[in-house]
DNA sequence: CGCATTTGACCTGCGC
DNA sequence: GCGCAGGTCAAATGCG
């Protein structure tokens, strides 16, 4: 699985339309007339306006929601980062003073990043968490070299099951209601290979119950049974691989507007925008790309958000994530 | 009938 | 040592 499919600039791309919608209504008529001309078709402008307005409202609401999410993610990221920094610097100074309750400590810390919707966080366990040196105190810990990774999966609100389709076969062996989350946590073991030590915990996020948090412990000692299936399966769940989010483009006087349609899958993209103009034309595509690039790079919000996204990506890449970057 | 899931009991580690 | 909370076990149950 490619890392690029997990980390995506989609949030950044929403900045432009959102701002447009919030600050001043876009000169739609112009855009539409351009659009019509490009399409070379005579379509009722009224009908188109109505449809576009509807879509615009919907996308605007979607974008607002996403922006709020992004804010929360950034806040939590910063908080977590400062916590980690503080913790690491503390441990660098006095490595002997370690909390004995590492098991539950790590859990409580990791809960903070539960807002990274659509992202997967893979991190090493004790060996990467600067508490290595107490392995000398507790020899049992040395055996636990299992990798712990985390995956966030958005589900449909109506979906109450705790099943995360990740291509492996899992057997549920327990369920428990934990203190910090009213939603039960389900425990799974990899059942594809009898010797496979991998375990998985799945629990709904406290903040957003439509998000499942799957925590993987250990590494599979066998290949994925359905790697190919996984990519093409029509699962109702959408593992948030944002790399393939469908988008639509439109032209207005101030340049092209990129609108990511995050609510529709590729197959169900039913916002029936008017028949596309000759987008296939290489000249038009080049023009679009140039306009998009220039408008994005001029936008300070975009550049700052991009910087934040990149810094987050760098952080992620610093931890060993071989498993998920395959 | 075989397998997966459910669920209450039990085990283990940690804090007080 | 006791209580609490998370994790695991295994008998009961459900389903194909």
């Amino acid at each position: 699985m490619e890392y690029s499919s997990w980390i995506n600039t989609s949030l950044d791309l929403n900045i432009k339309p959102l701002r447009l919608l919030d600050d001043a209504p876009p000169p739609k008529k112009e855009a539409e007339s351009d659009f019509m001309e490009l399409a070379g078709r005579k379509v009722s402008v009224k009908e188109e306006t109505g449809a576009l307005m509807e879509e615009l409202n919907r996308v605007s609401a979607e974008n607002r929601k996403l922006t709020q999410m992004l804010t929360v993610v950034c806040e939590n990221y910063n908080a977590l980062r400062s916590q980690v920094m503080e913790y690491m610097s503390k441990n660098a100074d006095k490595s002997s003073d370690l909390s004995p309750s590492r098991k539950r400590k790590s859990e409580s810390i990791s809960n903070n990043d539960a807002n990274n919707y659509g992202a997967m966080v893979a991190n090493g366990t004790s060996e990467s968490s600067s508490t290595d040196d107490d392995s000398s105190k507790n020899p049992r810990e040395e055996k636990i070299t299992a990798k712990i990774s985390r995956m966030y999966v958005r589900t449909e609100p109506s979906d109450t099951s705790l099943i995360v389709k990740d291509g492996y076969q899992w057997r549920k062996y327990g369920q428990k209601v934990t203190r910090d989350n009213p939603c039960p946590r389900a425990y799974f073991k990899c059942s594809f290979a009898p010797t496979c030590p991998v375990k998985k915990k799945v629990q709904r996020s406290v903040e957003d119950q439509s998000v499942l948090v799957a925590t993987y412990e250990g590494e599979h000692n066998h290949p994925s049974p359905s790697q190919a299936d996984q990519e093409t399966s029509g699962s109702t769940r959408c593992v948030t691989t944002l790399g393939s989010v469908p988008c639509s483009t439109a032209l207005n006087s101030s340049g092209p507007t990129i609108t990511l349609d995050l609510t529709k899958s590729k197959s169900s993209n039913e916002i029936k925008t008017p028949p596309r103009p000759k987008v296939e034309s290489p000249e038009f595509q080049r023009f679009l790309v140039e306009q998009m690039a220039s408008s994005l790079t001029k936008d300070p919000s975009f550049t700052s958000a991009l910087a934040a996204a990149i810094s987050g990506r760098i952080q992620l890449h610093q931890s060993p994530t071989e498993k998920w970057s395959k």
Side-chain angles (χ1 to χ4, degrees):
Chain A
M1 194 171 289
E2 298 239 331
Y3 225 119
S4 58
S5 64
W6 293 96
I7 300 164
N8 190 278
T9 59
S10 59
L11 288 165
D12 306 331
L13 293 174
N14 276 316
I15 289 167
K16 178 82 178 177
L18 181 67
R19 237 171 39 135
L20 245 170
L21 293 164
D22 285 349
D23 295 343
K28 275 192 289 296
K29 275 220 164 169
E30 282 180 44
E32 279 155 15
S33 59
D34 283 353
F35 206 67
M36 296 310 144
E37 277 177 21
L38 284 163
R41 302 182 66 193
K42 310 240 173 190
V43 189
S44 159
V45 176
K46 255 188 190 172
E47 281 177 18
E48 290 303 329
T49 308
L52 285 171
M53 282 294 281
E54 215 172 290
E55 183 188 346
L56 219 51
N57 289 335
R58 192 190 55 75
V59 171
S60 157
E62 188 76 29
N63 283 339
R64 253 192 294 275
K65 216 186 286 178
L66 286 165
T67 307
Q68 283 172 5
M69 275 186 182
L70 180 63
T71 309
V72 174
V73 167
C74 288
E75 281 171 7
N76 283 336
Y77 169 72
N78 288 329
L80 183 64
R81 193 177 163 185
S82 59
Q83 273 180 32
V84 169
M85 291 300 186
E86 194 182 331
Y87 186 66
M88 285 176 78
S89 61
K90 220 182 269 179
N91 278 297
D93 291 339
K94 38 169 188 173
S95 58
S96 57
D97 190 43
L98 292 164
S99 166
S101 60
R102 42 188 303 177
K103 189 173 161 192
R104 289 182 187 165
K105 275 272 166 63
S106 66
E107 185 139 345
S108 65
I109 287 169
S110 61
N111 279 338
N112 286 335
D113 60 9
N115 274 315
N116 289 323
Y117 307 138
M120 178 154 62
V121 178
N123 55 333
T125 46
S126 49
E127 62 267 33
S128 69
S129 66
S130 81
T131 56
D132 330 339
D133 37 6
D134 70 347
S135 61
S136 57
K137 290 181 198 169
N138 191 354
R140 202 172 64 91
E141 294 290 340
E142 282 184 345
K143 291 180 202 163
I144 305 169
T145 54
K147 266 169 64 172
I148 295 180
S149 58
R150 194 166 290 233
M151 192 166 103
Y152 299 95
V153 179
R154 184 169 288 284
T155 63
E156 290 179 16
S158 57
D159 195 346
T160 55
S161 65
L162 287 170
I163 300 166
V164 174
K165 290 181 183 175
D166 50 17
Y168 289 92
Q169 266 184 298
W170 300 95
R171 188 178 63 81
K172 189 176 179 181
Y173 66 91
Q175 182 166 313
K176 196 93 180 175
V177 176
T178 56
R179 207 177 55 136
D180 53 346
N181 192 338
C183 301
R185 175 184 295 170
Y187 299 90
F188 297 89
K189 279 177 185 170
C190 181
S191 62
F192 183 71
T195 57
C196 183
V198 180
K199 288 176 191 172
K200 177 171 86 169
K201 288 181 278 191
V202 180
Q203 191 172 30
R204 297 194 173 274
S205 167
V206 192
E207 286 86 358
D208 185 351
Q209 302 204 347
S210 66
V211 173
L212 287 176
V213 182
T215 308
Y216 295 84
E217 291 178 33
E219 282 180 281
H220 294 280
N221 55 12
H222 56 87
S224 169
S226 58
Q227 235 157 19
D229 285 2
Q230 188 194 350
E231 285 170 10
T232 55
S233 75
S235 161
T236 56
R237 280 178 188 75
C238 172
V239 177
T240 45
T241 49
L242 297 174
S244 57
V245 170
C247 71
S248 60
T249 59
L251 287 173
N252 61 28
S253 58
S254 63
T257 300
I258 306 164
T259 304
L260 293 188
D261 186 359
L262 297 170
T263 61
K264 307 282 176 188
S265 68
K266 271 181 264 184
S267 57
S268 64
N269 196 0
E270 62 185 34
I271 302 171
K272 284 329 163 195
T273 49
R276 298 282 163 89
K278 294 170 188 167
V279 180
E280 295 81 14
S281 137
E283 290 83 8
F284 185 78
Q285 286 184 348
R286 217 174 302 134
F287 170 71
L288 273 182
V289 169
E290 283 169 14
Q291 288 298 311
M292 288 175 199
S294 66
S295 75
L296 288 173
T297 50
K298 279 173 197 164
D299 190 330
S301 309
F302 168 77
T303 49
S304 61
L306 180 64
I310 289 170
S311 75
R313 186 191 176 110
I314 289 166
Q315 293 293 320
L316 286 170
H317 274 280
Q318 282 174 344
S319 56
T321 57
E322 313 91 274
K323 183 179 160 191
W324 299 108
S325 55
K326 268 178 208 166

